[in-house]
Amino acid sequence: MIILASDHAGYLLKEELKKFFNKENIIAIDVGCYSREAGDDYPDFAKAGNAKVLEDSRNVGIYICGTGNGMVISANRNPKIRAALCTSTQVAALARGHNDANVLILPGRYMKPRKAIKIVKVFLTTDFEGGRHARRIKKL
Ligand code: RB5
């Protein structure tokens, strides 16, 4: 299952991703926020997303704030979460292949929907490589 979370600064990009998932018949759960009005706080949505992601080891989160930094810092406070801020398809592939990231973070104010969708596709279709990377993850 895909878990979506954003603050107000990530709301519009999250809505674009929801349209894409709907078109592809992919189920995505949105844990908020539900408007682009300022006044909410990204840690609240990272926590809500983390709780859902950790319900099942097959779950993957996609969290969005303005820069991505608030979300990646917040999400990674949970030791079972490996959240990666990805601004290219190459970094997204390595975040999965090498870091076994279970949450993709995107910068809503600095990324166009078309590029975000390309990154999401790569993130969702790349497998963890294991081997030496598994050894490193065990040391986290
Ligand atoms: C909200 O204005 C903004 O600070 C937040 O979305 C994020 O970019 C923080 O890292």
Side-chain angles (χ1 to χ4, degrees):
M1 192 104 71
I2 295 167
I3 316 299
L4 296 169
S6 79
D7 70 352
H8 59 280
Y11 173 78
L12 288 180
L13 182 57
K14 187 178 64 181
E15 289 303 297
E16 292 298 325
L17 293 186
K18 280 162 71 175
K19 280 186 213 159
F20 164 73
F21 287 130
N22 275 339
K23 214 172 63 190
E24 300 288 321
N25 284 318
I26 296 170
I27 296 170
I29 308 287
D30 184 359
V31 299
C33 70
Y34 304 113
S35 120
R36 56 187 296 207
E37 261 178 56
D40 57 18
D41 304 319
Y42 55 80
D44 296 330
F45 302 105
K47 278 182 202 161
N50 282 354
K52 271 266 169 227
V53 166
L54 294 174
E55 282 178 6
D56 190 309
S57 61
R58 290 163 300 184
N59 287 350
V60 168
I62 303 175
Y63 305 169
I64 313 168
C65 65
T67 60
N69 279 323
M71 279 297 197
V72 77
I73 291 167
S74 305
N76 280 321
R77 296 298 291 267
N78 186 316
K80 290 186 177 156
I81 293 290
R82 290 175 304 282
L85 173 55
C86 299
T87 52
S88 71
T89 52
Q90 292 91 334
V91 171
L94 291 168
R96 286 285 314 123
H98 289 191
N99 309 118
D100 199 18
N102 51 4
V103 175
L104 167 66
I105 309 283
L106 296 170
R109 284 190 174 136
Y110 303 98
M111 186 171 289
K112 298 238 160 51
R114 257 181 67 169
K115 183 166 183 185
I117 288 167
K118 279 187 191 166
I119 289 173
V120 164
K121 281 182 183 166
V122 168
F123 192 85
L124 295 178
T125 55
T126 306
D127 290 327
F128 179 47
E129 291 173 27
R132 67 186 190 280
H133 303 296
R135 184 184 72 229
R136 290 162 188 167
I137 282 165
K138 276 197 194 125
K139 291 187 178 182
L140 291 173

